[in-house]
Coordinates of all heavy atoms in Angstrom, one line a residue:
M1 N -16.0 -62.8 1.4 CA -16.8 -62.3 0.2 C -18.3 -62.2 0.6 O -18.9 -61.2 0.4 CB -16.7 -63.4 -0.9 CG -17.6 -63.1 -2.1 SD -16.9 -61.7 -3.0 CE -18.2 -61.4 -4.2
E2 N -18.8 -63.2 1.3 CA -20.2 -63.1 1.7 C -20.4 -62.0 2.8 O -21.4 -61.2 2.7 CB -20.8 -64.4 2.3 CG -20.9 -65.5 1.2 CD -21.0 -66.9 1.7 OE1 -20.7 -67.0 3.0 OE2 -21.4 -67.8 0.9
S3 N -19.5 -61.9 3.6 CA -19.6 -60.8 4.7 C -19.4 -59.5 4.1 O -20.0 -58.5 4.5 CB -18.6 -61.1 5.8 OG -17.3 -60.9 5.3
A4 N -18.5 -59.4 3.0 CA -18.4 -58.0 2.3 C -19.7 -57.7 1.7 O -20.1 -56.5 1.8 CB -17.3 -58.2 1.3
I5 N -20.4 -58.6 1.1 CA -21.7 -58.3 0.5 C -22.6 -57.9 1.6 O -23.4 -56.8 1.3 CB -22.3 -59.4 -0.4 CG1 -21.3 -59.7 -1.5 CG2 -23.7 -59.1 -0.9 CD1 -21.6 -60.9 -2.3
K6 N -22.7 -58.6 2.7 CA -23.6 -58.2 3.8 C -23.3 -56.8 4.3 O -24.2 -56.0 4.6 CB -23.6 -59.2 4.8 CG -24.3 -60.5 4.5 CD -24.2 -61.5 5.7 CE -24.6 -62.9 5.2 NZ -24.2 -63.9 6.3
T7 N -22.0 -56.5 4.3 CA -21.7 -55.2 4.8 C -22.1 -54.1 3.8 O -22.7 -53.1 4.3 CB -20.1 -55.1 4.9 OG1 -19.6 -56.1 5.9 CG2 -19.7 -53.7 5.5
L8 N -22.0 -54.3 2.6 CA -22.5 -53.3 1.6 C -23.9 -53.1 1.8 O -24.3 -51.9 1.7 CB -22.3 -53.9 0.2 CG -20.8 -53.9 -0.4 CD1 -21.0 -54.6 -1.8 CD2 -20.4 -52.4 -0.6
V9 N -24.7 -54.1 2.0 CA -26.2 -53.9 2.1 C -26.5 -53.2 3.4 O -27.3 -52.3 3.5 CB -26.9 -55.2 2.0 CG1 -28.4 -55.1 2.2 CG2 -26.7 -55.9 0.6
S10 N -25.9 -53.6 4.5 CA -26.2 -53.1 5.8 C -25.8 -51.6 5.9 O -26.5 -50.8 6.5 CB -25.6 -54.0 7.0 OG -24.4 -53.7 7.2
V11 N -24.7 -51.3 5.3 CA -24.2 -49.9 5.3 C -25.2 -49.0 4.6 O -25.6 -48.0 5.0 CB -22.8 -49.7 4.7 CG1 -22.5 -48.2 4.4 CG2 -21.7 -50.3 5.5
Y12 N -25.7 -49.5 3.4 CA -26.7 -48.8 2.6 C -28.0 -48.7 3.5 O -28.5 -47.5 3.7 CB -27.0 -49.5 1.4 CG -28.0 -48.8 0.7 CD1 -27.7 -47.8 -0.2 CD2 -29.4 -49.2 0.7 CE1 -28.8 -47.1 -1.0 CE2 -30.5 -48.5 0.0 CZ -30.1 -47.6 -0.8 OH -31.2 -46.9 -1.6
L13 N -28.5 -49.7 4.1 CA -29.7 -49.7 4.8 C -29.6 -48.8 6.1 O -30.5 -48.0 6.3 CB -30.2 -51.1 5.3 CG -30.5 -52.0 4.2 CD1 -30.9 -53.3 4.7 CD2 -31.7 -51.4 3.4
K14 N -28.5 -48.9 6.7 CA -28.3 -48.0 7.9 C -28.2 -46.5 7.5 O -28.8 -45.6 8.3 CB -27.0 -48.4 8.6 CG -27.3 -49.4 9.7 CD -25.9 -49.7 10.5 CE -25.9 -51.1 11.1 NZ -24.6 -51.6 11.4
S15 N -27.5 -46.2 6.4 CA -27.5 -44.8 6.0 C -28.8 -44.3 5.5 O -29.0 -43.1 5.6 CB -26.4 -44.8 4.8 OG -25.1 -45.3 5.3
A16 N -29.6 -45.2 4.8 CA -30.9 -44.8 4.4 C -31.9 -44.5 5.5 O -32.9 -43.9 5.3 CB -31.4 -45.7 3.3
K17 N -31.6 -45.0 6.6 CA -32.5 -45.0 7.8 C -33.9 -45.3 7.5 O -34.8 -44.5 7.7 CB -32.4 -43.5 8.4 CG -31.0 -43.2 8.9 CD -31.0 -41.8 9.2 CE -29.6 -41.2 9.4 NZ -29.4 -39.9 8.8
G18 N -34.2 -46.3 6.9 CA -35.5 -46.8 6.6 C -36.1 -46.2 5.3 O -37.2 -46.7 4.9
K19 N -35.4 -45.3 4.7 CA -36.0 -44.7 3.5 C -35.7 -45.6 2.3 O -34.8 -46.5 2.4 CB -35.5 -43.3 3.3 CG -36.0 -42.4 4.4 CD -35.5 -40.9 4.2 CE -33.9 -40.8 4.1 NZ -33.2 -40.3 5.2
D20 N -36.1 -45.3 1.2 CA -35.9 -46.1 0.0 C -34.5 -45.7 -0.6 O -33.9 -46.5 -1.4 CB -36.9 -45.9 -1.2 CG -38.2 -46.5 -0.8 OD1 -38.2 -47.5 0.0 OD2 -39.2 -46.2 -1.4
S21 N -34.0 -44.4 -0.4 CA -32.8 -44.0 -1.0 C -31.9 -43.1 0.0 O -32.6 -42.6 0.9 CB -33.0 -43.4 -2.4 OG -34.0 -42.4 -2.2
L22 N -30.8 -42.8 -0.4 CA -30.0 -41.8 0.4 C -30.2 -40.4 0.0 O -30.0 -40.1 -1.2 CB -28.5 -42.2 0.2 CG -28.1 -43.6 0.5 CD1 -26.7 -43.9 0.2 CD2 -28.3 -44.0 1.9
G23 N -30.6 -39.6 0.9 CA -30.7 -38.2 0.6 C -29.3 -37.5 0.6 O -28.4 -38.2 0.9
E24 N -29.3 -36.3 0.3 CA -28.0 -35.6 0.3 C -27.0 -35.8 1.6 O -26.0 -36.1 1.4 CB -28.2 -34.1 0.0 CG -26.9 -33.4 -0.1 CD -27.2 -31.8 -0.5 OE1 -28.5 -31.5 -0.7 OE2 -26.3 -31.1 -0.6
K25 N -27.7 -35.6 2.7 CA -27.0 -35.6 3.9 C -26.6 -37.1 4.3 O -25.4 -37.4 4.7 CB -27.9 -35.2 5.1 CG -27.1 -34.8 6.3 CD -26.7 -33.3 6.2 CE -25.6 -33.0 7.3 NZ -24.8 -31.8 7.0
D26 N -27.5 -38.1 4.0 CA -27.2 -39.5 4.2 C -26.0 -39.9 3.4 O -25.1 -40.6 3.8 CB -28.4 -40.3 3.7 CG -29.6 -39.9 4.4 OD1 -29.6 -39.6 5.6 OD2 -30.8 -40.1 3.9
F27 N -26.0 -39.4 2.1 CA -24.9 -39.9 1.2 C -23.6 -39.3 1.7 O -22.6 -39.9 1.8 CB -25.2 -39.5 -0.2 CG -24.2 -39.9 -1.3 CD1 -24.0 -41.2 -1.4 CD2 -23.4 -39.0 -1.9 CE1 -23.0 -41.7 -2.3 CE2 -22.4 -39.4 -2.8 CZ -22.1 -40.7 -3.0
Q28 N -23.6 -38.0 2.1 CA -22.5 -37.3 2.6 C -21.9 -38.0 3.8 O -20.7 -38.2 3.9 CB -22.9 -35.9 3.0 CG -21.9 -34.8 2.7 CD -22.6 -33.4 2.9 OE1 -22.8 -33.1 4.0 NE2 -22.8 -32.7 1.9
N29 N -22.7 -38.4 4.7 CA -22.3 -39.1 5.8 C -21.6 -40.5 5.6 O -20.6 -40.8 6.1 CB -23.4 -39.3 6.9 CG -23.7 -38.0 7.6 OD1 -23.0 -37.1 7.7 ND2 -25.0 -37.9 8.1
L30 N -22.3 -41.2 4.6 CA -21.8 -42.5 4.2 C -20.4 -42.3 3.6 O -19.4 -43.1 4.0 CB -22.7 -43.0 3.2 CG -22.5 -44.5 2.7 CD1 -23.7 -45.2 2.3 CD2 -21.5 -44.5 1.4
V31 N -20.2 -41.4 2.7 CA -18.9 -41.1 2.1 C -17.9 -40.8 3.1 O -16.7 -41.3 3.2 CB -18.9 -40.1 1.0 CG1 -17.6 -39.8 0.5 CG2 -19.9 -40.7 -0.2
K32 N -18.2 -39.8 3.9 CA -17.3 -39.3 5.0 C -16.9 -40.4 6.0 O -15.7 -40.5 6.4 CB -18.0 -38.2 5.7 CG -17.1 -37.0 6.0 CD -17.9 -35.8 6.4 CE -17.1 -35.0 7.5 NZ -18.0 -33.8 7.8
N33 N -17.9 -41.1 6.5 CA -17.7 -42.1 7.6 C -17.2 -43.4 7.1 O -16.5 -44.1 7.8 CB -18.9 -42.3 8.4 CG -19.3 -41.1 9.0 OD1 -18.6 -40.2 9.4 ND2 -20.7 -40.9 9.2
K34 N -17.6 -43.9 5.9 CA -17.3 -45.2 5.4 C -16.2 -45.3 4.4 O -15.8 -46.4 4.1 CB -18.6 -46.0 5.0 CG -19.7 -46.0 6.1 CD -19.4 -46.8 7.2 CE -20.5 -46.8 8.2 NZ -20.2 -47.5 9.4
L35 N -15.9 -44.2 3.7 CA -15.2 -44.4 2.5 C -13.9 -43.5 2.4 O -13.3 -43.3 1.4 CB -16.0 -44.1 1.1 CG -17.2 -45.1 1.0 CD1 -18.0 -44.5 -0.1 CD2 -16.6 -46.4 0.6
S36 N -13.6 -42.9 3.6 CA -12.6 -41.9 3.7 C -11.1 -42.6 3.4 O -10.2 -41.9 3.1 CB -12.6 -41.2 5.0 OG -12.4 -42.1 6.0
N37 N -11.0 -43.9 3.6 CA -9.8 -44.5 3.3 C -9.6 -45.0 1.9 O -8.4 -45.3 1.4 CB -9.5 -45.7 4.2 CG -9.4 -45.3 5.7 OD1 -8.7 -44.3 6.0 ND2 -10.1 -45.9 6.6
I38 N -10.6 -45.1 1.2 CA -10.6 -45.6 -0.2 C -10.7 -44.5 -1.2 O -10.4 -44.6 -2.4 CB -11.6 -46.7 -0.3 CG1 -11.3 -47.7 -1.5 CG2 -13.0 -46.2 -0.6 CD1 -12.2 -48.9 -1.4
M39 N -11.3 -43.3 -0.7 CA -11.6 -42.2 -1.7 C -10.8 -41.0 -1.2 O -10.5 -40.7 0.0 CB -13.1 -41.9 -1.7 CG -13.8 -43.0 -2.6 SD -15.6 -42.7 -2.4 CE -15.7 -41.1 -3.0
T40 N -10.6 -40.1 -2.2 CA -10.1 -38.8 -1.8 C -11.2 -37.8 -1.8 O -12.3 -38.1 -2.2 CB -9.0 -38.4 -2.9 OG1 -9.6 -38.5 -4.1 CG2 -7.8 -39.2 -2.8
D41 N -10.9 -36.6 -1.2 CA -12.0 -35.6 -1.2 C -13.2 -35.8 -0.4 O -14.2 -35.3 -0.6 CB -12.4 -35.1 -2.6 CG -11.3 -34.4 -3.3 OD1 -10.4 -34.0 -2.7 OD2 -11.4 -34.4 -4.5
T42 N -13.1 -36.8 0.6 CA -14.4 -37.2 1.3 C -14.7 -36.1 2.4 O -15.8 -36.2 2.9 CB -14.2 -38.5 2.0 OG1 -13.1 -38.4 2.9 CG2 -14.1 -39.7 1.1
D43 N -13.9 -35.1 2.6 CA -14.2 -34.0 3.4 C -14.8 -32.9 2.6 O -15.3 -31.8 3.3 CB -12.9 -33.6 4.2 CG -12.6 -34.5 5.3 OD1 -13.6 -35.1 5.8 OD2 -11.4 -34.6 5.6
S44 N -14.7 -32.9 1.3 CA -15.2 -31.8 0.5 C -16.7 -32.0 0.2 O -17.1 -32.9 -0.5 CB -14.4 -31.7 -0.8 OG -15.1 -31.0 -1.7
K45 N -17.5 -31.1 0.6 CA -18.9 -31.2 0.4 C -19.2 -31.1 -1.1 O -20.1 -31.8 -1.7 CB -19.7 -30.0 1.1 CG -20.1 -30.5 2.5 CD -21.0 -29.4 3.1 CE -21.2 -29.8 4.6 NZ -22.1 -28.8 5.3
D46 N -18.5 -30.2 -1.7 CA -18.7 -30.1 -3.2 C -18.3 -31.3 -4.0 O -19.0 -31.7 -4.9 CB -17.7 -28.9 -3.7 CG -18.4 -27.5 -3.3 OD1 -19.6 -27.4 -2.9 OD2 -17.6 -26.5 -3.2
A47 N -17.2 -32.0 -3.6 CA -16.8 -33.1 -4.3 C -17.9 -34.3 -4.1 O -18.2 -35.0 -5.1 CB -15.4 -33.6 -3.8
I48 N -18.4 -34.3 -2.9 CA -19.4 -35.3 -2.6 C -20.7 -35.1 -3.4 O -21.3 -36.0 -4.0 CB -19.7 -35.4 -1.1 CG1 -18.4 -35.9 -0.4 CG2 -20.8 -36.5 -0.8 CD1 -18.5 -36.0 1.1
K49 N -21.0 -33.8 -3.5 CA -22.2 -33.4 -4.2 C -22.0 -33.7 -5.6 O -22.9 -34.3 -6.3 CB -22.4 -31.9 -4.0 CG -23.7 -31.3 -4.6 CD -23.8 -29.9 -4.3 CE -25.1 -29.4 -5.1 NZ -25.2 -27.9 -5.1
E50 N -20.8 -33.4 -6.2 CA -20.6 -33.8 -7.6 C -20.7 -35.2 -7.9 O -21.2 -35.7 -8.9 CB -19.2 -33.3 -7.9 CG -19.1 -32.6 -9.3 CD -17.7 -31.9 -9.4 OE1 -16.8 -32.6 -9.8 OE2 -17.7 -30.7 -9.1
M51 N -20.1 -36.0 -6.9 CA -20.3 -37.5 -7.0 C -21.7 -38.0 -7.0 O -22.1 -38.8 -7.8 CB -19.5 -38.0 -5.8 CG -18.9 -39.4 -5.9 SD -18.4 -39.9 -4.3 CE -17.3 -38.5 -3.8
R52 N -22.4 -37.5 -6.1 CA -23.7 -37.8 -6.0 C -24.6 -37.5 -7.3 O -25.3 -38.3 -7.7 CB -24.5 -37.1 -4.9 CG -25.9 -37.4 -4.6 CD -26.5 -36.9 -3.3 NE -26.2 -35.4 -3.2 CZ -27.0 -34.4 -3.7 NH1 -28.1 -34.8 -4.5 NH2 -26.8 -33.2 -3.6
Q53 N -24.3 -36.3 -7.9 CA -25.0 -36.0 -9.1 C -24.5 -36.9 -10.3 O -25.4 -37.3 -11.1 CB -24.7 -34.6 -9.4 CG -25.5 -33.6 -8.6 CD -25.0 -32.2 -8.7 OE1 -23.9 -32.0 -9.0 NE2 -25.8 -31.2 -8.2
G54 N -23.3 -37.4 -10.2 CA -22.8 -38.3 -11.2 C -23.5 -39.7 -11.1 O -23.7 -40.3 -12.2
L55 N -23.7 -40.1 -9.9 CA -24.4 -41.4 -9.7 C -25.9 -41.3 -10.0 O -26.5 -42.4 -10.2 CB -24.2 -41.8 -8.2 CG -22.7 -42.1 -7.8 CD1 -22.6 -42.3 -6.3 CD2 -22.2 -43.3 -8.5
D56 N -26.4 -40.2 -9.8 CA -28.0 -40.1 -9.8 C -28.5 -40.3 -11.2 O -28.9 -39.3 -11.8 CB -28.3 -38.7 -9.3 CG -29.8 -38.6 -8.9 OD1 -30.4 -39.7 -8.9 OD2 -30.2 -37.5 -8.5
S57 N -28.6 -41.5 -11.6 CA -28.9 -41.7 -13.1 C -30.5 -41.4 -13.4 O -30.8 -41.1 -14.5 CB -28.6 -43.1 -13.5 OG -29.1 -44.1 -12.6
D58 N -31.3 -41.5 -12.3 CA -32.7 -41.2 -12.5 C -33.0 -39.7 -12.1 O -34.1 -39.3 -12.1 CB -33.7 -42.2 -11.8 CG -33.4 -42.2 -10.3 OD1 -32.6 -41.5 -9.8 OD2 -34.1 -42.9 -9.7
A59 N -31.9 -38.9 -11.7 CA -32.0 -37.5 -11.5 C -33.1 -37.1 -10.4 O -33.8 -36.1 -10.6 CB -32.3 -36.7 -12.7
D60 N -33.3 -37.9 -9.3 CA -34.2 -37.6 -8.3 C -33.6 -36.9 -7.2 O -34.2 -36.7 -6.1 CB -35.1 -38.8 -7.9 CG -34.2 -39.9 -7.2 OD1 -32.9 -39.7 -7.2 OD2 -34.7 -40.9 -6.6
G61 N -32.3 -36.6 -7.3 CA -31.5 -36.0 -6.3 C -31.1 -36.9 -5.1 O -30.5 -36.4 -4.1
K62 N -31.4 -38.1 -5.3 CA -31.0 -39.1 -4.1 C -30.3 -40.3 -4.8 O -30.4 -40.5 -6.0 CB -32.3 -39.6 -3.4 CG -33.1 -38.6 -2.8 CD -34.4 -39.1 -2.3 CE -35.3 -38.0 -1.9 NZ -36.7 -38.3 -2.2
V63 N -29.6 -41.0 -3.9 CA -28.8 -42.2 -4.4 C -29.6 -43.4 -4.0 O -29.7 -43.8 -2.8 CB -27.4 -42.1 -3.7 CG1 -26.7 -43.3 -4.2 CG2 -26.7 -40.9 -4.1
G64 N -30.1 -44.1 -4.9 CA -30.8 -45.4 -4.8 C -29.9 -46.4 -4.6 O -28.6 -46.2 -4.8
F65 N -30.4 -47.6 -4.3 CA -29.6 -48.8 -4.2 C -28.7 -49.1 -5.4 O -27.5 -49.3 -5.3 CB -30.4 -50.0 -3.7 CG -29.5 -51.2 -3.2 CD1 -28.7 -51.0 -2.1 CD2 -29.4 -52.4 -3.9 CE1 -27.9 -52.1 -1.7 CE2 -28.7 -53.4 -3.6 CZ -27.9 -53.2 -2.3
Q66 N -29.4 -49.1 -6.5 CA -28.6 -49.4 -7.7 C -27.5 -48.3 -8.1 O -26.4 -48.6 -8.4 CB -29.6 -49.4 -9.0 CG -30.3 -50.7 -9.2 CD -29.4 -51.9 -9.3 OE1 -28.3 -51.9 -9.9 NE2 -29.8 -52.9 -8.6
E67 N -27.8 -47.1 -7.7 CA -26.8 -46.0 -7.9 C -25.7 -46.1 -6.8 O -24.6 -45.9 -7.2 CB -27.6 -44.7 -7.7 CG -28.6 -44.4 -8.8 CD -29.5 -43.3 -8.6 OE1 -29.6 -42.8 -7.4 OE2 -30.3 -43.0 -9.4
Y68 N -26.0 -46.6 -5.7 CA -25.0 -46.9 -4.7 C -24.2 -48.0 -5.2 O -22.9 -48.0 -5.1 CB -25.8 -47.3 -3.5 CG -24.9 -48.0 -2.3 CD1 -24.0 -47.2 -1.5 CD2 -25.1 -49.3 -2.1 CE1 -23.4 -47.9 -0.5 CE2 -24.4 -49.9 -1.0 CZ -23.5 -49.1 -0.2 OH -22.9 -49.9 0.8
L69 N -24.7 -49.0 -5.8 CA -23.8 -50.1 -6.4 C -23.0 -49.7 -7.4 O -21.9 -50.2 -7.7 CB -24.8 -51.3 -6.8 CG -25.5 -52.1 -5.8 CD1 -26.3 -53.2 -6.4 CD2 -24.5 -52.6 -4.7
T70 N -23.4 -48.7 -8.2 CA -22.6 -48.1 -9.2 C -21.2 -47.5 -8.6 O -20.2 -47.8 -9.1 CB -23.3 -47.0 -10.0 OG1 -24.5 -47.5 -10.5 CG2 -22.5 -46.5 -11.1
L71 N -21.4 -46.9 -7.5 CA -20.3 -46.3 -6.7 C -19.4 -47.4 -6.3 O -18.2 -47.4 -6.4 CB -20.8 -45.5 -5.6 CG -19.7 -45.0 -4.7 CD1 -18.8 -43.9 -5.3 CD2 -20.3 -44.4 -3.4
V72 N -20.0 -48.4 -5.7 CA -19.2 -49.6 -5.2 C -18.4 -50.2 -6.3 O -17.3 -50.5 -6.2 CB -20.2 -50.6 -4.5 CG1 -19.4 -51.9 -4.2 CG2 -20.8 -50.1 -3.2
G73 N -19.1 -50.4 -7.5 CA -18.4 -51.0 -8.6 C -17.3 -50.2 -9.1 O -16.2 -50.6 -9.5
Y74 N -17.6 -48.9 -9.0 CA -16.5 -47.9 -9.5 C -15.3 -48.0 -8.6 O -14.1 -48.0 -9.0 CB -17.1 -46.5 -9.6 CG -16.1 -45.4 -9.9 CD1 -15.7 -45.1 -11.1 CD2 -15.7 -44.6 -8.8 CE1 -14.8 -44.2 -11.3 CE2 -14.7 -43.6 -9.0 CZ -14.3 -43.4 -10.2 OH -13.4 -42.3 -10.5
L75 N -15.5 -48.0 -7.3 CA -14.5 -48.0 -6.4 C -13.7 -49.4 -6.4 O -12.5 -49.4 -6.4 CB -15.0 -47.9 -4.9 CG -15.6 -46.5 -4.6 CD1 -16.2 -46.5 -3.2 CD2 -14.5 -45.5 -4.7
A76 N -14.5 -50.4 -6.6 CA -13.8 -51.7 -6.7 C -13.0 -51.9 -8.0 O -11.8 -52.3 -8.0 CB -14.9 -52.9 -6.8
S77 N -13.5 -51.3 -9.1 CA -12.7 -51.3 -10.3 C -11.4 -50.4 -10.2 O -10.4 -50.8 -10.7 CB -13.6 -50.9 -11.4 OG -13.0 -50.1 -12.5
N78 N -11.6 -49.4 -9.6 CA -10.4 -48.5 -9.3 C -9.3 -49.2 -8.5 O -8.2 -49.1 -8.8 CB -10.9 -47.3 -8.4 CG -10.7 -46.0 -9.1 OD1 -10.4 -46.0 -10.3 ND2 -11.0 -44.9 -8.4
L79 N -9.7 -50.0 -7.4 CA -8.8 -50.7 -6.7 C -8.1 -51.8 -7.4 O -7.0 -52.0 -7.2 CB -9.7 -51.3 -5.5 CG -9.1 -51.5 -4.1 CD1 -8.7 -50.3 -3.5 CD2 -10.0 -52.2 -3.2
S80 N -8.8 -52.4 -8.3 CA -8.2 -53.4 -9.1 C -7.3 -52.9 -10.0 O -6.2 -53.5 -10.3 CB -9.3 -54.4 -9.6 OG -9.4 -54.2 -11.1
D81 N -7.5 -51.7 -10.6 CA -6.6 -51.0 -11.4 C -5.3 -50.7 -10.7 O -4.2 -50.9 -11.2 CB -7.1 -49.7 -11.9 CG -8.2 -49.9 -13.1 OD1 -8.2 -51.0 -13.6 OD2 -8.9 -49.0 -13.4
Q82 N -5.4 -50.1 -9.5 CA -4.3 -49.8 -8.6 C -3.4 -51.0 -8.4 O -2.2 -50.9 -8.4 CB -4.8 -49.2 -7.3 CG -5.1 -47.7 -7.4 CD -5.7 -47.3 -6.0 OE1 -5.5 -47.9 -5.0 NE2 -6.6 -46.3 -6.2
R83 N -4.1 -52.1 -8.1 CA -3.4 -53.3 -7.8 C -2.5 -53.8 -9.0 O -1.3 -54.3 -8.8 CB -4.4 -54.5 -7.6 CG -3.9 -55.5 -6.6 CD -5.0 -56.5 -6.3 NE -5.7 -56.2 -5.0 CZ -5.1 -56.6 -3.9 NH1 -3.9 -57.1 -3.9 NH2 -5.8 -56.4 -2.7
T84 N -3.0 -53.7 -10.2 CA -2.2 -54.0 -11.4 C -1.0 -53.1 -11.6 O 0.0 -53.5 -12.1 CB -3.0 -54.2 -12.6 OG1 -4.0 -53.2 -12.7 CG2 -3.6 -55.6 -12.7
T85 N -1.3 -51.8 -11.3 CA -0.2 -50.8 -11.6 C 0.8 -50.7 -10.5 O 1.9 -50.2 -10.7 CB -0.8 -49.4 -12.0 OG1 -1.7 -49.1 -10.9 CG2 -1.6 -49.4 -13.3
T86 N 0.4 -51.1 -9.2 CA 1.3 -50.9 -8.2 C 1.7 -52.3 -7.5 O 1.7 -52.4 -6.3 CB 0.8 -49.9 -7.1 OG1 -0.4 -50.5 -6.6 CG2 0.6 -48.6 -7.7
K87 N 1.9 -53.2 -8.3 CA 2.2 -54.6 -7.8 C 3.5 -54.6 -6.9 O 3.5 -55.4 -6.0 CB 2.5 -55.5 -9.0 CG 1.5 -56.5 -9.2 CD 1.7 -57.3 -10.4 CE 0.5 -58.1 -11.0 NZ 0.7 -58.5 -12.3
E88 N 4.4 -53.8 -7.3 CA 5.7 -53.8 -6.5 C 5.6 -53.4 -5.1 O 6.3 -53.8 -4.2 CB 6.7 -53.0 -7.3 CG 6.8 -53.2 -8.7 CD 7.4 -54.5 -9.1 OE1 8.6 -54.7 -8.9 OE2 6.7 -55.4 -9.8
T89 N 4.7 -52.4 -4.9 CA 4.6 -51.8 -3.6 C 4.0 -52.7 -2.6 O 3.1 -53.5 -2.9 CB 3.9 -50.5 -3.6 OG1 2.7 -50.7 -4.2 CG2 4.6 -49.4 -4.4
P90 N 4.4 -52.6 -1.3 CA 3.8 -53.5 -0.3 C 2.3 -53.2 -0.1 O 1.8 -52.0 -0.4 CB 4.6 -53.1 1.0 CG 5.5 -52.0 0.7 CD 5.4 -51.7 -0.8
A91 N 1.5 -54.1 0.4 CA 0.1 -53.9 0.6 C -0.2 -52.8 1.5 O 0.4 -52.6 2.5 CB -0.4 -55.2 1.1
A92 N -1.2 -52.0 1.1 CA -1.5 -50.9 2.0 C -2.2 -51.4 3.3 O -2.7 -52.5 3.4 CB -2.5 -50.0 1.3
E93 N -2.2 -50.5 4.2 CA -2.7 -50.9 5.6 C -4.2 -51.2 5.4 O -4.9 -50.5 4.8 CB -2.6 -49.6 6.4 CG -2.6 -50.0 7.9 CD -2.5 -48.7 8.7 OE1 -1.9 -47.6 8.3 OE2 -3.0 -48.7 9.8
G94 N -4.5 -52.3 6.1 CA -6.0 -52.7 6.0 C -6.5 -53.3 4.8 O -7.6 -53.5 4.7
E95 N -5.5 -53.7 4.0 CA -5.9 -54.2 2.7 C -6.3 -55.7 2.9 O -7.2 -56.2 2.1 CB -4.7 -54.1 1.7 CG -5.3 -54.0 0.3 CD -4.3 -53.8 -0.7 OE1 -3.3 -54.5 -0.8 OE2 -4.3 -52.6 -1.4
Q96 N -5.6 -56.5 3.7 CA -5.8 -57.8 3.8 C -7.2 -58.1 4.4 O -7.7 -57.3 5.3 CB -4.8 -58.5 4.7 CG -3.5 -58.5 4.1 CD -2.6 -57.4 4.7 OE1 -3.1 -56.4 5.0 NE2 -1.3 -57.7 4.7
E97 N -7.9 -59.2 4.0 CA -9.2 -59.4 4.5 C -8.9 -60.3 5.8 O -8.0 -61.1 5.8 CB -10.0 -60.2 3.5 CG -11.2 -59.4 3.0 CD -12.2 -60.2 2.3 OE1 -12.9 -61.0 2.9 OE2 -12.1 -60.2 1.1
E98 N -9.8 -60.1 6.8 CA -9.7 -60.9 7.9 C -10.0 -62.4 7.6 O -11.0 -62.7 6.9 CB -10.6 -60.5 9.0 CG -10.2 -59.2 9.7 CD -11.3 -58.7 10.6 OE1 -12.0 -59.4 11.3 OE2 -11.5 -57.4 10.6
A99 N -9.3 -63.2 8.1 CA -9.6 -64.6 8.0 C -10.9 -64.9 8.7 O -11.2 -64.5 9.8 CB -8.4 -65.4 8.6
S100 N -11.7 -65.7 8.0 CA -13.0 -66.0 8.6 C -13.3 -67.5 8.3 O -12.9 -68.0 7.3 CB -14.1 -65.1 8.3 OG -14.2 -65.0 6.9
Ligands
LIG1 CA1 -31.4 -41.3 -7.9

């Protein structure tokens, strides 16, 4: 759990490259490189752009940390929905957390 939170923060910071928020390209790379197993359409620039606009609650064209957390929350909630509806199926690859 703690390492997951640290990962969330470090992925954001690395993607933002020292800036306050993720620009269009930064966000695109983050989705493509870090979320391709959990999301669909990560190869589609249009889909990612749409997603970015949906997250951009202050409409500055960039994804700030809070907006990034909105995406994380959305994905987590999606995952927990899937878990309840597909209880019968075996766990997907990479789903188990590493013991630490
Ligand atoms: Ca924004």
Side-chain angles (χ1 to χ4, degrees):
M1 178 74 190
E2 289 162 347
S3 66
I5 295 173
K6 283 180 191 165
T7 302
L8 280 178
V9 174
S10 83
V11 164
Y12 177 84
L13 292 177
K14 269 183 204 162
S15 303
K17 295 174 200 137
K19 299 180 302 255
D20 287 341
S21 50
L22 306 175
E24 183 172 355
K25 200 87 194 160
D26 302 326
F27 183 66
Q28 215 169 71
N29 286 336
L30 184 151
V31 171
K32 219 168 144 180
N33 298 330
K34 305 288 184 187
L35 297 170
S36 60
N37 292 315
I38 205 170
M39 284 172 62
T40 51
D41 289 342
T42 54
D43 282 332
S44 160
K45 276 188 181 179
D46 287 343
I48 296 176
K49 189 179 173 189
E50 223 168 86
M51 201 188 312
R52 181 171 51 82
Q53 287 166 342
L55 291 170
D56 193 8
S57 52
D58 60 1
D60 64 353
K62 296 168 195 154
V63 177
F65 190 64
Q66 279 308 318
E67 293 162 352
Y68 165 75
L69 289 183
T70 304
L71 173 68
V72 173
Y74 173 78
L75 292 173
S77 144
N78 242 5
L79 210 62
S80 108
D81 284 351
Q82 276 171 25
R83 207 177 260 282
T84 34
T85 50
T86 60
K87 246 181 204 159
E88 314 287 300
T89 53
E93 203 183 332
E95 206 176 62
Q96 293 102 327
E97 249 190 81
E98 281 172 44
S100 52

